[in-house]
Amino acid sequence: MHYLLFYEVAEDYLSRRAEFRNIHLKLGWEAAERGELVLGGALANPTDGAVLHFKGESPEVAERFAKADPYVANGLVQRWHVREWT
């Protein structure tokens, strides 16, 4: 099954993300190596969110990523949610 993880980011996201970017990317590469993360990236014009595409048996695969993401833990992501994608 496929799941989309949607991030809504804080207004100061671009100015603050450098501090946490390496850890965020490491989590992403690890999820990709496990076959969970298919593709992800920031939205542009405006830069107000991101979308990450996951494969897994349940939405837990995407939820687990969000809960471990330093962008979420440090307030760069104000809200997130997961939707099944068919």
Side-chain angles (χ1 to χ4, degrees):
M1 302 191 76
H2 296 268
Y3 298 92
L4 297 177
L5 172 60
F6 294 91
Y7 279 174
E8 295 177 35
V9 300
E11 286 187 28
D12 61 352
Y13 162 77
L14 288 177
S15 64
R16 294 183 53 217
R17 74 176 175 170
E19 179 180 356
F20 308 104
R21 187 168 171 81
N22 287 340
I23 298 168
H24 168 80
L25 292 175
K26 182 178 184 287
L27 290 173
W29 285 115
E30 290 171 351
E33 289 172 3
R34 290 190 303 271
E36 298 169 347
L37 179 61
V38 177
L39 186 66
L43 300 173
N45 301 319
T47 306
D48 60 355
V51 180
L52 296 94
H53 172 197
F54 287 87
K55 287 191 313 187
E57 295 300 314
S58 75
E60 183 181 344
V61 67
E63 293 167 356
R64 195 171 49 243
F65 180 90
K67 291 174 183 175
D69 192 345
Y71 287 179
V72 172
N74 291 284
L76 280 75
V77 173
Q78 294 183 319
R79 284 179 294 285
W80 61 269
H81 66 279
V82 176
R83 298 276 311 265
E84 185 176 348
W85 187 35
T86 57

